[in-house]
Amino acid sequence: AALYKGKQHEGHKNNFYRCIREGGLPVSDVYSHVQTMNTCHLAAIAARLGRSIKWNPKTEKIEGDELAATFFAREQRKGYEILRV
């Protein structure tokens, strides 16, 4: 039950639809996925550079290492920009 945040075991699609109907976050929520992917990206950057890096979770930026920070995000291609809101 802890694995599913106290919710019944069901497929992701059914869980998503139920959360739309009843409210609340699905078992597979975007917030935990973003944190997980950031961790993976940061580990890859540190491994590529061969050194530790410092991550600020509040600002979601690499601090004190300009080169490492350039690996975390790159310039977007013209015509495929993701708009910031």
Side-chain angles (χ1 to χ4, degrees):
L3 180 62
Y4 297 102
K5 301 177 186 174
K7 298 178 182 178
Q8 66 188 30
H9 173 69
E10 58 190 345
H12 286 285
K13 184 171 72 172
N14 290 338
N15 176 253
F16 178 74
Y17 291 148
R18 187 170 53 73
C19 287
I20 291 173
R21 282 191 312 271
E22 299 173 7
L25 291 174
V27 170
S28 183
D29 66 277
V30 68
Y31 306 108
S32 62
H33 285 272
V34 167
Q35 290 175 338
T36 301
M37 291 308 302
N38 282 347
T39 302
C40 293
H41 290 307
L42 292 165
I45 293 167
R48 184 178 292 175
L49 294 173
R51 61 178 179 252
S52 295
I53 55 177
K54 183 178 178 187
W55 174 250
N56 183 328
K58 292 188 193 281
T59 62
E60 295 190 343
K61 294 186 178 183
I62 295 171
E63 294 182 341
D65 190 330
E66 289 184 36
L67 179 60
T70 65
F71 282 73
F72 198 73
R74 60 182 171 179
E75 187 176 335
Q76 298 178 16
R77 286 192 321 180
K78 184 94 173 127
Y80 294 92
E81 301 89 357
I82 298 173
L83 300 176
R84 300 240 180 225
V85 291

